[in-house]
DNA sequence: TCAAAAGTGTTGCCGCTACACCCATGA
DNA sequence: TCATGGGTGTAGCGGCAACACTTTTGA
């Protein structure tokens, strides 16, 4: 709301960038490794650093829909979870233009190795210098996921439809970077009542494991669980 | 990041809107009442509904600085707390243009009744229909404050420099809408060690009350407190 | 001396953590 | 039969909620 008559609109470009995260199965029997989707430098900026996938806001799409379109470009038809992260708009962040970036966080289960899609998955630990201020954006995304682990079912975004307790626990351990007690973990998860036992089992070289699903197919805040008697 | 050569920038305006909240002392001996700062309809949109203070993003300011500029317009030289809330960018949200709004949340102690500033304080309970999608933005701001009460010292943003325990408790009760036990409240607050006893007292018609200050003059996340041994 | 708000301890309960063993399967 | 991961119970401790009375002041 401005008091003065509308000034000439600033020549500002709005773009939507997406921090797309996944958890790739560990090599051998190692723990799962967190990965980001990065794309090659192109379009608006030059240089050799990769960056987050993004696009300019189209006239007819809202912000969420634009994020979905960005995801489509990198081969993700629909993410398990998508939420707005923050906006970045420092005057110098894109050389030559004034660009405001609305950043999103997206989570998907397993890296579909889709050859037609742009970009590649990079282990979080191996991410090099990124274009523009994308390192900040990525950091914000990672921080958000980590903090949400404790008070929501973010893990939903990273797991396949059916998964074992051990896999669920591995998600938490990989993202939190700590080891958890198996019995306590299972007890706590069970107490929340968010999982359904599918009855099915995963058969492997050893004793079969029960397969579970999230009872509600979306991310749930834990407060909401408690508040629903 | 776009693969194609840069398309002509969409004619998009970026504006920064601020949800400015305070807690006014209650009438008589009533509890404090939460208020928002609203401004009269002007500039970009017509109609009789008030709206949140805001302005177009100037070429030389980043988002945070723009929020500060907006606050200056409504008579707040520097807010106790300022954080980015979310961005709103549905195609139809401002008739006639494509405007993306980056919303901020700001907190200030007491309503300075400053005649030169634009706008007025309105009890949250009395807020009527707002311009554009500002009702959504306001709702997001209120939700953010409420949720942050439990895991941070947001109350810092709403209290004067020196305050009594009862006032601090009243902030929590007013925002949470529940009554709290005096002894438990004081014990918990003391255990966090975030307050300093000023030694001074507030004298009233009854027994004087100790005055406290926040030891760290900014909003603190409670996890950080625990993580600092 | 009275009215009104400030200030202070204890107890029971619940949830969290720590900890070690048997089970089912495929090889 | 063995190697490997799947699955289960308990006991101690600490934090949280419930609860009522004394103190200090101004009028």
């Amino acid at each position: 709301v401005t008091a003065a008559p509308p000034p000439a609109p600033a020549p500002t470009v709005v773009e939507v960038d997406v921090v797309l995260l996944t958890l790739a199965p560990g090599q051998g029997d190692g723990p799962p490794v967190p990965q980001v989707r990065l794309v090659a430098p192109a379009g608006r900026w030059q240089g050799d650093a990769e960056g987050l996938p993004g696009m300019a806001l189209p006239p007819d799409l809202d912000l969420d829909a634009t994020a979905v379109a960005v995801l489509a470009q990198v081969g993700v038809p629909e993410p398990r979870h998508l939420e707005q992260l923050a906006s970045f708009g420092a005057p110098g962040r894109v050389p030559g233009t004034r660009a405001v970036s609305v950043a999103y966080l997206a989570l998907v289960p397993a890296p579909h190795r889709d050859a037609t899609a742009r970009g590649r998955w990079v282990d979080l630990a191996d991410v090099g210098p990124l274009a523009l201020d994308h390192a900040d954006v990525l950091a914000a995304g990672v921080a958000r996921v980590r903090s949400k682990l404790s008070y929501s079912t973010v893990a939903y975004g990273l797991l396949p439809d059916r998964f074992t307790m051990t896999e669920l626990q591995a998600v938490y351990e990989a993202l939190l970077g700590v080891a958890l007690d198996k019995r306590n973990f299972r007890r706590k998860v069970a107490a929340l009542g968010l999982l359904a036992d599918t009855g099915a089992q995963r058969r492997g070289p050893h004793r079969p494991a029960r397969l579970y699903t999230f009872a509600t197919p979306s991310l749930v805040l834990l407060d909401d669980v408690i508040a629903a008697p």
Side-chain angles (χ1 to χ4, degrees), chain A:
Chain A
V1 182
T2 30
T12 304
V13 175
V14 176
E15 61 183 47
V16 172
D17 294 315
V18 178
V19 178
L20 172 59
L21 299 177
T22 195
L23 217 45
Q27 296 299 353
D29 59 349
V33 315
Q35 298 182 323
V36 218
R37 186 81 181 190
L38 297 182
V39 299
R44 274 194 293 292
W45 75 82
Q46 306 307 326
D48 50 349
E50 290 175 300
L52 299 170
M55 64 164 66
L57 183 66
D60 55 334
L61 292 184
D62 69 12
L63 298 172
D64 290 20
T66 306
V68 170
V70 170
L71 288 169
Q73 283 190 350
V74 294
V76 173
E78 61 180 27
R80 273 300 179 73
H81 177 63
L82 181 65
E83 72 178 52
Q84 205 187 94
L85 201 49
S87 296
F88 297 78
R93 60 178 289 276
V94 177
T97 357
R98 184 66 195 276
V100 171
S101 165
V102 180
Y104 275 78
L105 169 68
L107 304 177
V108 287
H112 339 255
R113 305 267 164 212
D114 179 350
T116 73
R118 298 201 305 128
R120 63 187 190 108
W121 291 105
V122 179
D123 289 4
L124 269 190
D126 299 343
V127 171
L130 296 182
L132 309 181
D133 57 357
H134 285 186
D136 296 338
V137 182
L138 174 57
V142 172
R144 174 75 63 90
V145 170
R146 206 164 275 158
S147 85
K148 274 208 157 177
L149 270 183
S150 44
Y151 65 93
S152 78
T153 61
V154 245
Y156 168 73
L158 297 168
L159 286 167
D161 288 318
R162 308 196 306 171
F163 51 89
T164 66
M165 275 290 177
T166 307
E167 288 169 341
L168 178 60
Q169 185 173 344
V171 170
Y172 277 76
E173 291 181 334
L175 265 51
L176 254 36
V178 299
L180 301 174
D181 181 87
K182 192 170 26 163
R183 280 166 296 191
N184 293 338
F185 181 81
R186 284 161 189 245
R187 203 191 347 265
K188 197 181 300 187
V189 167
L192 291 173
L194 297 171
L195 299 187
D197 187 336
T198 62
Q201 295 187 327
R202 167 162 313 161
R203 312 186 64 80
H206 305 299
R207 174 171 175 177
R210 281 177 150 81
L211 289 170
Y212 294 86
T213 328
F214 281 97
T216 49
S218 73
L219 193 144
V220 175
L221 294 180
L222 299 189
D223 296 358
D224 298 348
V225 177
I226 300 165

